[in-house]
Amino acid sequence: MRVLAFFLLVAVAEAGADECAALPPPSVTVKQISAPVTVNPDHDYRAISLLSTQEHRTNQRVLGLTRGTARVVFEIRAPAIVDRTRQWECVSPQITMSYGFSPMTVYVAREFPPEGCAYREILQHEQRHVKTYLDHLAALAPELTEALQRRFATGTPARAPVGQTRALLERELQERWMPFVQREMERVRSSQALIDTPEEYRRVSESCGGEILRVVR
């Protein structure tokens, strides 16, 4: 999911060669979106298996599934000064990027009531996936902050012909930085795959005195 908000505040400079010095330095702030995790017990294991097949291309019987939607939001405040000839402008982008997996939903097959052993085993397994999502987001924060600051927190405002700054900034964020951030977020899939090993599938399936195997057979 991509969201872009842009605010441009413009003043007109009356004179002098130091108009841009009146602007604050460009800045970048990176925030992690905090989203509650919802547990959905309304689907049977066949429906959950179909959801998993669409996402992970697995033929396993799936008893639980964790899904997170990558969300990236850029908010830009861009105080600007236009010189008195109205031929050029200097702009100081103040960029805030928020990112996270929202919504995040844990599915547990409805064949297993919440008070039962099987439900607890499946939920505990899915909580490992939730933790992996959250750990991945936390690990990305320094990398994303460094990359965006290197590009935008240059120490001095940018200069461009009047009317071009907004379009250039929007285009770069949409075409370069949103895909970059989303790609970095999607790298979590390799870590998630390490949890869903054949051994772990077998352990969960055979837990609770065979309760799960009796259902899926």
Side-chain angles (χ1 to χ4, degrees):
M1 181 178 294
R2 304 179 176 191
V3 180
L4 183 68
F6 191 96
F7 307 91
L8 184 63
L9 308 176
V10 179
V12 178
E14 294 297 334
D18 298 322
E19 296 97 340
C20 292
L23 293 172
S27 69
V28 172
T29 302
V30 173
K31 297 180 179 179
Q32 185 174 325
I33 296 172
S34 296
V37 179
T38 302
V39 178
N40 185 325
D42 298 331
H43 296 69
D44 62 26
Y45 80 87
R46 293 178 179 84
I48 295 175
S49 297
L50 181 59
L51 286 175
S52 181
T53 299
Q54 293 169 349
E55 189 165 323
H56 304 293
R57 298 181 181 179
T58 176
N59 293 320
Q60 294 275 4
R61 292 188 180 94
V62 178
L63 312 173
L65 178 66
T66 299
R67 302 181 81 183
T69 300
R71 178 177 171 84
V72 181
V73 180
F74 280 101
E75 294 183 5
I76 309 100
R77 296 188 181 277
I81 292 177
V82 178
D83 88 323
R84 56 184 174 177
T85 69
R86 297 185 179 274
Q87 294 181 348
W88 61 267
E89 62 189 1
C90 52
V91 179
S92 181
Q94 313 292 306
I95 298 173
T96 298
M97 187 198 74
S98 302
Y99 73 109
F101 293 101
S102 177
M104 191 180 298
T105 305
V106 173
Y107 297 88
V108 178
R110 70 184 179 200
E111 288 88 350
F112 307 105
E115 65 275 10
C117 171
Y119 180 95
R120 290 194 299 272
E121 282 288 339
I122 296 167
L123 184 59
Q124 287 174 5
H125 171 87
E126 294 307 318
Q127 286 172 338
R128 293 175 60 191
H129 287 293
V130 171
K131 183 177 185 299
T132 299
Y133 273 118
L134 298 180
D135 288 349
H136 182 66
L137 292 178
L140 280 180
E143 174 187 341
L144 298 178
T145 300
E146 193 277 334
L148 288 166
Q149 286 184 341
R150 185 172 63 246
R151 171 62 184 91
F152 294 107
T154 58
T156 57
R159 291 176 180 263
V162 167
Q164 291 190 13
T165 306
R166 173 172 179 162
L168 292 171
L169 198 54
E170 286 183 331
R171 184 180 306 151
E172 181 173 349
L173 289 172
Q174 289 280 7
E175 296 180 0
R176 176 182 177 186
W177 291 103
M178 281 191 175
F180 168 74
V181 175
Q182 289 183 318
R183 284 195 303 271
E184 293 301 299
M185 293 173 69
E186 291 297 329
R187 283 168 43 202
V188 73
R189 293 184 182 276
S190 59
S191 298
Q192 299 290 16
L194 297 176
I195 298 174
D196 291 330
T197 62
E199 293 78 16
E200 176 66 2
Y201 273 116
R202 185 165 55 252
R203 184 194 70 77
V204 174
S205 297
E206 294 176 356
S207 64
C208 300
E211 175 186 350
I212 293 173
L213 286 176
R214 286 193 295 273
V215 170
V216 298
R217 285 175 178 170

